[in-house]
Amino acid sequence: MWALLTFMDTFVYNTLLMIFGGGMIVDISDFLGQVITALQTLFANNVSTLVTTFSVIAGSLMIIFLYIDLTSNATKELLTLERLVLTFIKFFVAMVILIYLPEILDTLFNLAKGIYDMACDKFTYDNIDYGIRFFPNDGNSNPSQFPDFETIKDALKDAGYSNKVTAVIKHISEFIPLLLVNLVFFVAKAAAYLITVSNAIMVIVRAVLAPLGIVQLFDDGQRSNGIRYLKKFVGEALTFAAIVGILYAASLLQGQLIASVVSDSLGGELSVDNIADVLNLSTLVPIVIIQLSAAGAIMKATQLSNDIVGAH
């Protein structure tokens, strides 16, 4: 609590940044980029070695499954020359895929990474119109963009948002909603970070165990368990692009909601003099709900990406 009292001007600014500057969405996007970069480095340096470790076991299992399949067909008197040749062709293709599996996984991940990069290029938050001019008379030379803290720091202090206990007492009606909003934002960000890291771990685990997951690759063609496993891997890797899309959709919806709920009460202009008009529960609840909903939608990102690649 004392830390909040000591940095009230920063506390107010960061809350406004999350509301009007897409602060939470940008934070999640930045964290997502860091996770993707770490995954790319890991795939380049470590995953291939780990995949090779299980390849010998997978090759042995693949031969066992081949003989089980041949024995089953022979018992049912279905083992014709044509079926035998076809089975060995499928087995040969599956073995080649197993041999080159590290390269295949690396290619699939880079494909998903390319889609993620494309999504980041297309889905930008800078061009979202909130219908509000930000601090035009408080030192912000470009009111169409939310300013940095140093630009309006002096204006905040002059308006009474100083780092003193008396300032907090004076603005207590605004300080309590600030605490509640930041608590909600913290929970939403924590949930989004958790899903992002969990998905990254699943991508690594699926890659490492991929040789064991595709041992039945030569059965049933594209409907085999092996193909389904590779689709699941691609689906996990595409989840990051899906999260970017979800965050962009949330930012668009937030922009429209702010324009309709907040802009009229502010007269189309946010300044240090009318911050109190924003920091009330009736205004903040719809905005907070969107942030929470974005975090909830991120939990469905893996399901969305699996639907894209047809992995169920």
Side-chain angles (χ1 to χ4, degrees):
M1 175 64 73
W2 176 249
L4 296 180
L5 300 180
T6 307
F7 301 101
M8 185 180 180
D9 53 353
T10 308
F11 193 49
V12 171
Y13 172 82
N14 288 335
T15 305
L16 294 174
L17 177 64
M18 284 188 287
I19 296 172
F20 297 101
M24 191 192 84
I25 295 172
V26 172
D27 286 347
I28 295 174
S29 298
D30 291 343
F31 181 74
L32 194 62
Q34 295 172 1
V35 171
I36 282 285
T37 301
L39 276 177
Q40 194 172 27
T41 303
L42 191 64
F43 266 80
N45 299 330
N46 302 101
V47 171
S48 296
T49 303
L50 295 174
V51 169
T52 305
T53 303
F54 289 97
S55 295
V56 176
I57 300 174
S60 301
L61 289 174
M62 192 174 291
I63 294 174
I64 293 173
F65 281 120
L66 171 64
Y67 280 107
I68 291 175
D69 183 68
L70 292 176
T71 303
S72 176
N73 287 326
T75 303
K76 299 177 183 178
E77 298 182 354
L78 298 175
L79 191 59
T80 62
L81 178 61
E82 179 182 357
R83 182 179 291 273
L84 181 63
V85 171
L86 182 61
T87 298
F88 274 103
I89 290 175
K90 290 181 179 179
F91 176 78
F92 174 76
V93 172
M95 190 61 72
V96 170
I97 291 177
L98 179 61
I99 293 172
Y100 290 99
L101 185 59
E103 290 78 7
I104 293 173
L105 291 176
D106 191 54
T107 300
L108 291 176
F109 177 78
N110 286 330
L111 175 62
K113 171 69 164 52
I115 295 175
Y116 166 81
D117 291 337
M118 186 182 301
C120 289
D121 291 337
K122 298 296 182 182
F123 300 152
T124 59
Y125 312 110
D126 297 334
N127 57 356
I128 297 175
D129 183 13
Y130 289 91
I132 296 175
R133 300 175 71 238
F134 299 111
F135 305 100
N137 301 317
D138 301 313
N140 185 15
S141 59
N142 184 13
S144 63
Q145 298 291 326
F146 200 86
D148 57 34
F149 174 68
E150 293 299 326
T151 300
I152 60 172
K153 179 179 179 180
D154 293 336
L156 285 172
K157 288 185 177 180
D158 292 341
Y161 298 99
S162 59
N163 302 326
K164 298 179 180 178
V165 177
T166 54
V168 176
I169 296 174
K170 180 180 179 181
H171 295 280
I172 191 67
S173 60
E174 302 151 46
F175 188 71
I176 292 177
L178 279 175
L179 286 174
L180 295 176
V181 169
N182 276 272
L183 177 62
V184 171
F185 282 163
F186 174 80
V187 172
K189 284 174 62 175
Y193 285 3
L194 177 64
I195 296 301
T196 301
V197 174
S198 298
N199 185 76
I201 293 173
M202 284 302 301
V203 170
I204 298 171
V205 172
R206 283 192 179 277
V208 171
L209 299 180
L212 303 180
I214 66 168
V215 291
Q216 298 185 58
L217 190 64
F218 61 90
D219 289 339
D220 300 325
Q222 294 183 357
R223 294 173 295 175
S224 69
N225 292 332
I227 294 296
R228 190 178 300 114
Y229 189 93
L230 290 177
K231 286 183 177 181
K232 284 282 189 180
F233 172 79
V234 176
E236 295 283 357
L238 280 178
T239 300
F240 300 105
I243 291 175
V244 172
I246 290 171
L247 293 176
Y248 182 68
S251 62
L252 287 177
L253 184 58
Q254 179 173 303
Q256 293 298 317
L257 188 64
I258 288 178
S260 61
V261 174
V262 180
S263 182
D264 291 341
S265 61
L266 297 181
E269 181 178 298
L270 176 64
S271 65
V272 293
D273 294 329
N274 61 11
I275 287 177
D277 295 331
V278 178
L279 301 180
N280 61 80
L281 293 180
S282 61
T283 299
L284 292 177
V285 166
I287 298 171
V288 169
I289 287 176
I290 288 183
Q291 305 287 359
L292 285 174
S293 299
I298 289 175
M299 297 180 184
K300 297 287 186 179
T302 300
Q303 180 180 335
L304 174 61
S305 59
N306 284 334
D307 289 341
I308 292 174
V309 298
H312 302 289

